[in-house]
């Protein structure tokens, strides 16, 4: 979603901001722009489309020591040059960039128009620049505070003022902002990836916090204008983790990183000899863990699918009732949080607004929420009562892959931990943790077979309207497989519980319908096999993901088969998803799609 980058210091801000915006491209955007203060004016360049469109209009000699840049993902107003950020005040002396939504902008805009202001864009954001101009009293810092009081909604805002060119004003309410501390230079961005090449020392702003950022210092205050001391954190990701290396896309790189990212997710957390797990970050005493009566999982998209897998695994291994809800639905319910419930907010980015707000609602009801997140220091882990970092490393491609498999590991570990406090004995525990430790090698085995999947993908590239079917632990994988395919190839795909097809979706099946069956060798195999015969009888084109043991049986019916290694059936989802990630990738590649930045999508969904 929209990206924000600001710089003040001794170097030329233009390449730093443009490079920072490129580092945020993966979040999704449809226009970009930059404003810098240059002697007696604010120079602004903005353009619809990719960042190189905007770069192409930048004068070669353009330079400045203070500037702000933005990638916009349209909400209010179409995709156009005029709606791109930054937005200038009417007199051109103030420039702002904004992430989020100003909910009362219609009313504010109307008043400003009545007072004679003429707006240039259709956005909600432009009113901020105009209000700043109207309120300006010779002290930009004070003006900024006053203006914030008039804004309703969610925002991350950066503002610069020509008459006071030595600082950037910044405010956060609902949209992430991080200050990067350099030597005689400061950065500010909506995502630390924007400036990781320059500094790893960061300060995370919380909601209702403001900062005045100068070259050598920053001053932080809350919305009551009381000074606050912020902790400086060190980010441990390095820039190389953000490079594509020899891979043609980040998505492919991230798929292939999974043996390693999965290993990192359980590293140091397994106690082999007694078959259990330690998850210190949960911040729960053994007694509190023992007393858990119910688990509640909230998440969106792929993280929701990981939560679904988690619910099967927790109920099976720990015998604790578990419900999973889509955060955007949950947040507007009046949810019943029973005593003894522990909640998980699952999020790769840690910034998804629906998950964050659902989490806050649970906390308001007095219950604890644990995060299962990837991005260290992001808002959800900061505001949660504890949790598990999955340590996948930066996930750049919009389509989530390695974060999903690491989220599964987090649930496997949690279920084993709680299970061992209940019905699971030591030997069963040892079996489980030993199997978890073998998963990276099994994933590697599937990846070694990628050429075969690439060949199969050719045939499926010519088809459309895919059905993904699975039962039990393969049902969330069916959903995730379908999501991957539609996100990056724009082909229609639907994930359905295999047992449900007779209740409707079977009507879709004809000789042109590709049906992907996810059917590891578990207790539901025979049931899914019957569904496969029903599809065959109607002429559907069948691709099956299965184990070697069942290949012979399936080959008589399916058109294509992808074999995955054997595992404990409880962990099958982590293996069955890998060929589906690869299949989607190769289909999208054959179709020439923009795989890492699919149309209309954003990596981090920070608006409702
Ligand atoms: O960062 P989060 O895990 O909270 O993101 C949730 C969804 O927006 C995300 O999983 C989305 O569905 C991805 N594009 C899936 O590939």
């Amino acid at each position: 979603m929209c990206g924000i980058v600001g710089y003040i210091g001794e170097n030329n801000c233009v390449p730093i901001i443009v490079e920072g915006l490129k580092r945020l491209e993966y979040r999704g955007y449809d226009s970009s722009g930059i404003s810098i203060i240059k002697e007696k004016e604010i120079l602004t360049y903005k353009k619809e489309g990719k960042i190189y469109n905007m770069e192409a209009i930048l004068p070669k000699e353009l330079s400045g020591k203070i500037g702000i840049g933005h990638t916009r993902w349209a909400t209010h107003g179409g995709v156009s040059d005029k709606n791109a950020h930054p937005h200038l005040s009417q007199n051109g002396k103030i420039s702002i960039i904004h992430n989020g939504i100003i909910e009362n902008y219609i009313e504010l805009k109307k008043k400003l128009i009545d007072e004679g202001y003429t707006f240039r864009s259709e956005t909600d954001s432009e009113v901020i620049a105009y209000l700043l101009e109207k309120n300006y009293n010779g002290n930009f810092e004070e003006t900024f505070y006053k203006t914030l009081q008039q804004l309703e909604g969610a925002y991350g805002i950066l503002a610069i003022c020509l008459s006071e060119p030595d600082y950037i004003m910044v405010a956060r309410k609902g949209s992430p902002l991080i200050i990067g501390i350099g030597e005689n230079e400061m950065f500010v961005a909506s995502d630390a990836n924007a400036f990781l090449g320059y500094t790893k020392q960061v300060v995370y702003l919380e909601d209702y916090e403001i900062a005045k950022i100068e070259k050598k210092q920053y001053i932080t205050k809350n919305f009551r204008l009381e000074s606050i001391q912020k902790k400086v954190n060190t980010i441990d990701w390095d820039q190389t983790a953000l490079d594509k290396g020899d891979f043609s896309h980040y998505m492919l790189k991230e798929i292939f990183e999974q043996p390693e990212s999965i290993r990192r997710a359980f590293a140091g957390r397994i106690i082999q000899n007694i078959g259990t797990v330690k998850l210190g970050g949960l911040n729960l005493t053994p007694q509190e863990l023992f007393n858990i009566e119910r688990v509640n999982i909230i998440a969106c998209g792929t993280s929701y699918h990981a939560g679904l897998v988690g619910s099967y695994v927790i109920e099976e291994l720990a015998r604790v009732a578990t419900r999973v809800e889509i955060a955007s639905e949950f947040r507007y319910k009046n949810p019943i949080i029973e005593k003894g419930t522990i909640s998980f907010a699952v999020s790769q980015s840690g910034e998804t607004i629906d998950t964050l707000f659902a989490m806050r609602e649970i906390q308001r009801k007095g219950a604890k929420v644990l995060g299962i997140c990837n991005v260290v220091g992001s808002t959800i882990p900061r505001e949660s009562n504890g949790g598990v970092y999955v340590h996948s490393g930066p996930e750049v491609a919009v389509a989530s892959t390695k974060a999903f498999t690491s989220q599964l590991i987090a649930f496997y570990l949690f279920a084993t931990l709680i299970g061992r406090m209940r019905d699971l004995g030591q030997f069963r525990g040892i079996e489980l943790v030993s199997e978890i430790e073998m998963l990276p090698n099994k994933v590697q085995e599937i990846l070694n077979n990628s050429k075969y999947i690439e060949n199969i993908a050719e045939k499926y590239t010519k088809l459309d309207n895919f059905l993904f079917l699975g039962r039990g632990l393969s049902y969330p994988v069916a959903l995730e497989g379908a999501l991957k395919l539609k996100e990056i190839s724009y082909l229609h795909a639907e994930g359905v519980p295999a047992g449900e097809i007779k209740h409707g979706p079977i009507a879709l099946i004809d000789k042109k319908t590709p049906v992907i069956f996810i059917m590891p060798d578990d207790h539901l195999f025979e049931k899914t096999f019957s569904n496969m015969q029903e599809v065959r009888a109607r002429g559907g084109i069948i691709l099956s993901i299965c184990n070697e043991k069942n290949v012979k049986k399936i080959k008589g019916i399916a058109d294509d088969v992808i074999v995955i290694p054997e595992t404990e059936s409880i962990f099958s989802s982590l293996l069955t998803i890998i060929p589906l990630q690869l299949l989607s990738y190769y289909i999208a590649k054959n179709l020439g799609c923009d795989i890492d930045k699919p149309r209309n999508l954003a990596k981090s969904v920070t608006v409702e």
Side-chain angles (χ1 to χ4, degrees):
M1 214 134 268
C2 306
I4 277 182
V5 186
Y7 174 87
I8 179 161
E10 290 176 349
N11 293 306
N12 180 6
C13 66
V14 178
I16 294 172
I17 293 172
V18 172
E19 184 55 31
L21 292 177
K22 286 183 183 165
R23 292 274 174 202
L24 302 188
E25 271 192 302
Y26 74 97
R27 297 170 67 102
Y29 70 103
D30 39 51
S31 59
S32 65
I34 179 171
S35 271
I36 68 161
I37 298 185
K38 181 80 184 164
E39 288 144 22
K40 292 194 175 57
E41 54 182 333
I42 295 184
L43 300 173
T44 299
Y45 302 88
K46 45 192 199 172
K47 205 74 194 149
E48 178 185 333
K50 297 288 180 197
I51 293 175
Y52 53 72
N53 294 352
M54 185 267 290
E55 254 185 307
I57 58 166
L58 297 180
K60 279 210 170 46
E61 67 291 353
L62 186 69
S63 81
K65 307 286 183 202
I66 171 171
I68 54 178
H70 191 264
T71 46
R72 172 176 188 254
W73 188 84
T75 57
H76 293 58
V79 178
S80 65
D81 294 353
K82 69 173 194 258
N83 287 339
H85 295 217
H87 290 290
L88 288 170
S89 55
Q90 187 159 283
N91 63 12
K93 291 183 176 175
I94 291 167
S95 179
I96 67 103
I97 51 181
H98 164 229
N99 286 358
I101 293 171
I102 302 301
E103 284 167 3
N104 60 337
Y105 85 100
I106 294 181
E107 166 195 332
L108 292 171
K109 191 168 176 174
K110 191 172 174 307
K111 265 194 208 151
L112 287 160
I113 290 171
D114 291 346
E115 288 169 31
Y117 287 90
T118 318
F119 282 79
R120 308 175 183 106
S121 82
E122 298 148 354
T123 67
D124 53 330
S125 311
E126 197 179 13
V127 294
I128 305 170
Y130 281 51
L131 274 181
L132 284 166
E133 174 181 328
K134 183 184 155 194
N135 294 336
Y136 189 59
N137 63 357
N139 180 330
F140 189 55
E141 189 181 342
E142 271 179 31
T143 306
F144 188 74
Y145 300 146
K146 181 173 176 197
T147 304
L148 290 183
Q149 287 158 21
Q150 295 172 270
L151 303 179
E152 286 167 20
Y155 47 80
I157 300 172
L158 263 59
I160 52 175
C161 175
L162 185 62
S163 326
E164 299 174 52
D166 301 324
Y167 61 93
I168 305 174
M169 286 309 298
V170 168
R172 169 179 174 156
K173 185 182 159 211
S175 201
L177 284 175
I178 303 162
I179 302 171
I181 306 165
E183 222 167 275
N184 292 328
E185 59 184 357
M186 296 279 173
F187 307 81
V188 57
S190 49
D191 176 333
N193 286 330
F195 54 68
L196 266 193
Y198 299 94
T199 180
K200 290 188 180 136
Q201 300 297 106
V202 301
V203 168
Y204 297 105
L205 288 183
E206 304 295 340
D207 279 352
Y208 303 100
E209 288 183 355
I210 305 165
K212 177 182 183 186
I213 301 175
E214 298 169 35
K215 185 165 79 174
K216 293 188 180 183
Q217 64 164 0
Y218 58 90
I219 297 162
T220 40
K221 294 186 180 174
N222 59 25
F223 273 24
R224 291 189 298 276
L225 303 187
E226 297 155 344
S227 292
I228 43 172
Q229 282 303 320
K230 300 285 298 176
K231 184 172 161 232
V232 177
N233 296 271
T234 306
I235 290 189
D236 62 0
W237 291 353
D238 68 22
Q239 195 70 20
T240 52
L242 289 169
D243 293 333
K244 234 179 1 208
D246 291 335
F247 289 93
S248 41
H249 294 93
Y250 279 105
M251 183 180 177
L252 191 63
K253 175 183 180 241
E254 287 158 11
I255 292 173
F256 272 84
E257 276 173 355
Q258 289 178 106
E260 263 324 295
S261 56
I262 291 168
R263 239 177 235 118
R264 279 199 302 275
F266 64 69
R269 289 170 167 166
I270 285 177
I271 312 173
Q272 238 309 322
N273 59 337
I274 47 169
T276 192
V277 159
K278 57 171 187 275
L279 291 171
L282 295 181
N283 294 336
L284 297 175
T285 62
Q287 197 56 44
E288 285 174 311
L289 287 170
F290 181 75
N291 288 341
I292 293 174
E293 286 173 28
R294 258 169 292 275
V295 174
N296 172 42
I297 301 169
I298 45 162
C300 301
T302 290
S303 298
Y304 168 72
H305 299 153
L308 281 176
V309 174
S311 72
Y312 283 90
V313 176
I314 294 167
E315 293 202 340
E316 181 63 32
L317 297 182
R319 309 298 300 146
V320 176
T322 304
R323 79 169 181 197
V324 195
E325 291 209 46
I326 290 178
S328 55
E329 285 299 313
F330 184 91
R331 63 177 286 198
Y332 289 115
K333 279 181 164 179
N334 182 9
I336 299 166
I337 309 290
E338 291 154 306
K339 227 170 138 225
T341 302
I342 192 81
S343 294
F344 281 102
V346 190
S347 174
Q348 185 285 130
S349 61
E351 300 293 354
T352 301
I353 199 93
D354 288 317
T355 311
L356 177 63
F357 276 67
M359 169 172 119
R360 288 178 181 163
E361 182 59 21
I362 298 170
Q363 288 172 324
R364 270 191 288 272
K365 293 197 179 294
K368 286 190 178 173
V369 185
L370 306 171
I372 293 185
C373 296
N374 184 35
V375 179
V376 176
S378 54
T379 309
I380 291 175
R382 287 207 313 278
E383 291 194 16
S384 66
N385 303 89
V388 183
Y389 275 123
V390 297
H391 300 306
S392 313
E395 193 181 65
V396 176
V398 163
S400 186
T401 52
K402 62 177 180 169
F404 176 74
T405 45
S406 296
Q407 288 164 347
L408 296 195
I409 295 287
F411 281 119
Y412 297 162
L413 296 177
F414 177 76
T416 307
L417 172 67
I418 303 298
R420 286 286 283 113
M421 299 178 106
R422 290 170 166 75
D423 295 349
L424 300 180
Q426 184 166 333
F427 293 110
R428 181 69 184 125
I430 292 173
E431 275 172 14
L432 290 170
V433 296
S434 306
E435 190 55 35
I436 294 174
E437 288 179 317
M438 294 194 4
L439 289 170
N441 290 345
K442 296 184 177 183
V443 169
Q444 188 61 56
E445 245 182 82
I446 304 173
L447 295 173
N448 293 345
N449 201 21
S450 62
K451 197 75 209 150
Y452 174 73
I453 299 171
E454 187 174 1
N455 289 339
I456 287 187
E458 252 179 61
K459 164 173 160 192
Y460 287 84
T461 302
K462 299 178 190 104
L463 304 171
D464 198 357
N465 293 318
F466 285 70
L467 281 180
F468 286 70
L469 304 184
R471 284 175 185 256
L473 279 155
S474 300
Y475 166 52
V477 176
L479 294 176
E480 176 59 10
L483 178 66
K484 285 291 86 84
L485 184 64
K486 70 182 124 186
E487 275 188 299
I488 60 167
S489 69
Y490 319 138
L491 296 175
H492 176 246
E494 221 183 300
V496 179
E500 269 293 299
I501 53 162
K502 287 189 291 293
H503 302 286
I506 201 162
L508 295 170
I509 293 171
D510 64 16
K511 291 197 172 63
K512 293 192 299 280
T513 316
V515 186
I516 318 289
F517 277 91
I518 300 125
M519 45 197 308
D521 184 36
D522 59 18
H523 62 291
L524 295 169
F525 175 83
E526 289 300 337
K527 303 278 173 210
T528 313
F529 187 66
S530 304
N531 300 130
M532 187 185 263
Q533 283 169 317
E534 289 155 12
V535 169
R536 170 84 308 162
R538 284 152 187 89
I541 303 162
I542 297 174
L543 166 60
S544 162
I545 314 289
C546 64
N547 293 112
E548 184 66 49
K549 187 179 161 200
N550 297 314
V551 169
K552 220 166 148 198
K553 183 167 182 176
I554 289 173
K555 267 200 169 153
I557 300 184
D559 296 273
D560 296 289
V561 174
I562 299 175
V563 179
I564 52 153
E566 306 282 340
T567 183
E568 277 257 5
S569 55
I570 195 84
F571 302 131
S572 63
S573 320
L574 189 136
L575 298 185
T576 49
I577 190 59
I578 309 289
L580 299 183
Q581 295 171 342
L582 285 167
L583 185 74
S584 305
Y585 172 81
Y586 290 121
I587 291 177
K589 191 172 175 211
N590 292 341
L591 291 169
C593 298
D594 190 353
I595 295 181
D596 287 333
K597 289 169 254 145
R599 70 181 181 208
N600 305 335
L601 292 181
K603 182 68 183 162
S604 177
V605 182
T606 49
V607 293
E608 287 195 51

